[in-house]
Amino acid sequence: MLFNSLDFLVFLAVVYGMFLALPRRFRKWLLLAASWFFYGYWSLKFLGLMVATTAVDWWIGLALDDPRRPRRTGLVVLSVVVNLGLLGAFKYFNFFAGELQALLTLSGAHLPLPVLESVLPVGMSFYVFQSMGYTIDVYRGALRATRDFSLFALFVSFFPQLVAGPIERAGNLLGQFAATPDPTSGQRSRGVRLILWGYFKKVVVADNLALVVQQVFDSPGTAGSFLVLLATYAFTLQIYCDFSGYTDIARGLARLFGIELMENFRFPFFATSPRDFWHRWHISLSTWLRDYLYLPLGGSRLGVARTGFNLMLTMLLCGLWHGANWTFVVWGGYHGLGLLAHRLFPPLRLGVLGKPVAWLGTFLFVCLGFLVFRAHSLGQAVGLLAGAAAFPSPGPGELGALSKVVLLTMPVWGIEALQRLTGDRELLPRLWPPFQALATAGLLVAILILGEPDGRPFIYFQF
């Protein structure tokens, strides 16, 4: 059930109508039932898997809540093993089995390895990290375990952010659910505006940019250097509008129910360094990796060599989190090298280069990384990079694609530049009421005319 589908709009209308009609004490149960139905709509089998892992982590949390309990470390390790074990089996088993098989074949050995005939449960990478973060926080004493299973189950499965995040912390959501959601009129109006902006970014900008991107990445041999560069830029904005569009819709939907989700993007393409970029891009994942992996490894406290190792390991695993393909691993390593170079070489920093040069260099660095990220294989990535290195001269047929990309991306750049300049993420309510109505109507018309009711899946659904 995609956000950009008629099925979801019907589901939302029914659930929201019931939510408003029910007394507050029953709303938590409605949201849990709706969230399980939302997930079970894809697969009852995978819904059962999610409920089972939820029960395991809830029980482990209760056991960890007593600091005098023996073998607490073993319990938190059990949570990590269960969660990462399931994620590894569904997401990475075939990948690593295939790589091992290829290595054995090269060495002359022949050992047939099994292949799992199963697809990755949608959203598993997100809810596994969210649930695992809860047990680690309880183990550290940063959070008290909840004895209310329904509350914890709603934290894991809350449908607006279940499939593609943001990866929430229990300290933020559990208290909001426990207080029985009751949205204010301001939350509802801000939620609707955020939903419309998210749909605009997804179905108008991202889905139309995808048509340009596919010309190159699905038929790379036919693209000239200019089109490769244009498609790389287009994909950079496509994945941003697709993913941040999902996040905007998720945060807007949550506001309709009186829940505030964390911000997952903060103007990432205005970053002036690789480090700054990761403070702005997929914030829920980058902070999760920082708090539960990078800092426990020692962070930057143990010398240059250990800092470099910690950075590279964290970013390689960040790349692998995105999928079982060497392109993602290389993309993670590429960003790890960028972060390390920025830390080790002061001339690469903002104060020496100046802000415009630092911004442009960071943007080009990010775009180049996304070429590797989008490629189907490392071989294709190398071929596209070689093609892009030639002098780019657009042909007559490519000028139309250029115009399309510019027209699609200008509204996003313009709105975000204005938001950043004013420091106001909620610009619309500050406008004169007729302008508010005109802007809202314009978004709605663009979505209805340029978007399809049953459009493309969100890119991060595959992760």
Side-chain angles (χ1 to χ4, degrees), residues 403-425:
S403 301
K404 181 177 182 179
V405 170
V406 170
L407 289 173
L408 286 170
T409 56
M410 278 178 59
V412 178
W413 280 111
I415 293 296
E416 293 210 348
L418 191 58
Q419 288 175 327
R420 189 167 183 272
L421 184 65
T422 61
D424 189 355
R425 299 299 297 267

Side-chain angles (χ1 to χ4, degrees), residues 10-290:
V10 172
F11 163 81
L12 178 63
V14 172
V15 171
Y16 198 59
M18 294 174 65
F19 178 85
L20 295 177
L22 283 173
R24 287 180 61 182
R25 66 181 182 275
F26 297 122
R27 289 177 174 177
K28 175 188 70 174
W29 295 99
L30 172 66
L31 289 178
L32 177 59
S35 298
W36 282 1
F37 176 85
F38 174 80
Y39 198 73
Y41 192 85
W42 271 295
S43 169
L44 288 176
K45 176 178 64 176
F46 291 149
L47 171 62
L49 179 65
M50 183 182 70
V51 173
T53 59
T54 299
V56 168
D57 278 339
W58 175 71
W59 174 80
I60 290 175
L62 290 177
L64 289 171
D65 204 34
D66 182 1
R68 297 167 299 178
R69 184 184 180 94
R71 296 187 292 277
R72 293 179 76 246
T73 301
L75 286 170
V76 78
V77 168
L78 175 63
S79 173
V80 171
V81 168
V82 168
N83 284 292
L84 293 186
L86 286 171
L87 184 62
F90 281 101
K91 193 169 185 177
Y92 304 110
F93 180 85
N94 289 344
F95 171 69
F96 285 114
E99 294 300 315
L100 179 58
Q101 184 70 71
L103 189 62
L104 290 172
T105 301
L106 284 176
S107 65
H110 181 67
L111 177 64
L113 297 174
V115 175
L116 293 181
E117 298 294 337
S118 181
V119 297
L120 175 68
V122 64
M124 192 178 200
S125 297
F126 290 88
Y127 77 72
V128 157
F129 270 39
Q130 188 159 304
S131 183
M132 192 164 55
Y134 164 82
T135 57
I136 295 172
D137 282 346
V138 173
Y139 171 74
R140 290 174 172 177
L143 183 74
R144 293 300 304 273
T146 178
R147 281 164 164 68
D148 186 340
F149 175 74
S150 63
L151 198 65
F152 180 68
L154 181 55
F155 160 70
V156 173
S157 63
F158 186 45
F159 76 86
Q161 48 92 217
L162 169 61
V163 176
I167 303 169
E168 276 288 353
R169 305 294 178 92
N172 177 41
L173 275 192
L174 283 177
Q176 294 189 68
F177 290 139
T180 59
D182 190 28
T184 64
S185 59
Q187 274 184 310
R188 287 194 292 265
S189 60
R190 294 197 312 271
V192 169
R193 287 191 292 267
L194 199 53
I195 290 168
L196 285 177
W197 180 235
Y199 272 118
F200 176 83
K201 287 198 288 187
K202 165 58 180 170
V203 303
V204 176
V205 181
D207 286 357
N208 282 288
L209 286 175
L211 302 176
V212 177
V213 174
Q214 285 176 330
Q215 292 180 45
V216 171
F217 287 93
D218 291 351
S219 304
T222 62
S225 59
F226 177 82
L227 200 55
V228 171
L229 292 173
L230 181 63
T232 300
Y233 166 76
F235 177 68
T236 301
L237 270 292
Q238 178 202 349
I239 194 171
Y240 171 63
C241 290
D242 192 284
F243 193 16
S244 69
Y246 175 93
T247 302
D248 288 342
I249 297 169
R251 294 180 70 222
L253 290 171
R255 283 179 176 176
L256 295 182
F257 296 100
I259 301 296
E260 293 290 337
L261 299 178
M262 70 177 292
E263 191 176 31
N264 208 21
F265 294 90
R266 195 177 297 125
F267 312 122
F269 297 135
F270 289 91
T272 52
S273 71
R275 184 170 183 264
D276 190 25
F277 174 77
W278 281 102
H279 285 166
R280 300 168 178 271
W281 176 272
H282 204 348
I283 298 167
S284 64
L285 176 64
S286 62
T287 55
W288 197 100
L289 291 170
R290 178 198 67 196

Side-chain angles (χ1 to χ4, degrees), residues 218-448:
D218 291 351
S219 304
T222 62
S225 59
F226 177 82
L227 200 55
V228 171
L229 292 173
L230 181 63
T232 300
Y233 166 76
F235 177 68
T236 301
L237 270 292
Q238 178 202 349
I239 194 171
Y240 171 63
C241 290
D242 192 284
F243 193 16
S244 69
Y246 175 93
T247 302
D248 288 342
I249 297 169
R251 294 180 70 222
L253 290 171
R255 283 179 176 176
L256 295 182
F257 296 100
I259 301 296
E260 293 290 337
L261 299 178
M262 70 177 292
E263 191 176 31
N264 208 21
F265 294 90
R266 195 177 297 125
F267 312 122
F269 297 135
F270 289 91
T272 52
S273 71
R275 184 170 183 264
D276 190 25
F277 174 77
W278 281 102
H279 285 166
R280 300 168 178 271
W281 176 272
H282 204 348
I283 298 167
S284 64
L285 176 64
S286 62
T287 55
W288 197 100
L289 291 170
R290 178 198 67 196
D291 294 343
Y292 299 114
L293 179 61
Y294 178 70
L295 292 178
L297 285 172
S300 57
R301 304 186 303 272
L302 302 176
V304 174
R306 183 59 183 268
T307 298
F309 172 81
N310 294 342
L311 267 177
M312 289 302 299
L313 178 61
T314 300
M315 294 311 299
L316 286 169
L317 291 175
C318 174
L320 190 61
W321 177 91
H322 285 80
N325 193 317
W326 286 113
T327 55
F328 298 126
V329 178
V330 170
W331 174 79
Y334 170 79
H335 273 275
L337 290 173
L339 290 167
L340 190 58
H342 178 260
R343 177 180 290 272
L344 295 179
F345 300 105
L348 296 177
R349 296 179 186 170
L350 174 61
V352 177
L353 293 175
K355 197 168 186 177
V357 176
W359 167 78
L360 181 60
T362 301
F363 183 70
L364 293 176
F365 171 83
V366 170
C367 287
L368 184 62
F370 275 126
L371 183 151
V372 178
F373 186 100
R374 177 60 175 82
H376 297 295
S377 66
L378 289 179
Q380 186 191 59
V382 170
L384 289 170
L385 287 169
F391 184 76
S393 53
E398 295 169 338
L399 292 176
L402 173 62
S403 301
K404 181 177 182 179
V405 170
V406 170
L407 289 173
L408 286 170
T409 56
M410 278 178 59
V412 178
W413 280 111
I415 293 296
E416 293 210 348
L418 191 58
Q419 288 175 327
R420 189 167 183 272
L421 184 65
T422 61
D424 189 355
R425 299 299 297 267
E426 302 283 349
L427 284 173
L428 199 57
R430 316 292 193 264
L431 300 177
W432 188 37
F435 286 169
Q436 291 186 39
L438 187 62
T440 302
L443 284 175
L444 195 55
V445 169
I447 291 166
L448 292 174

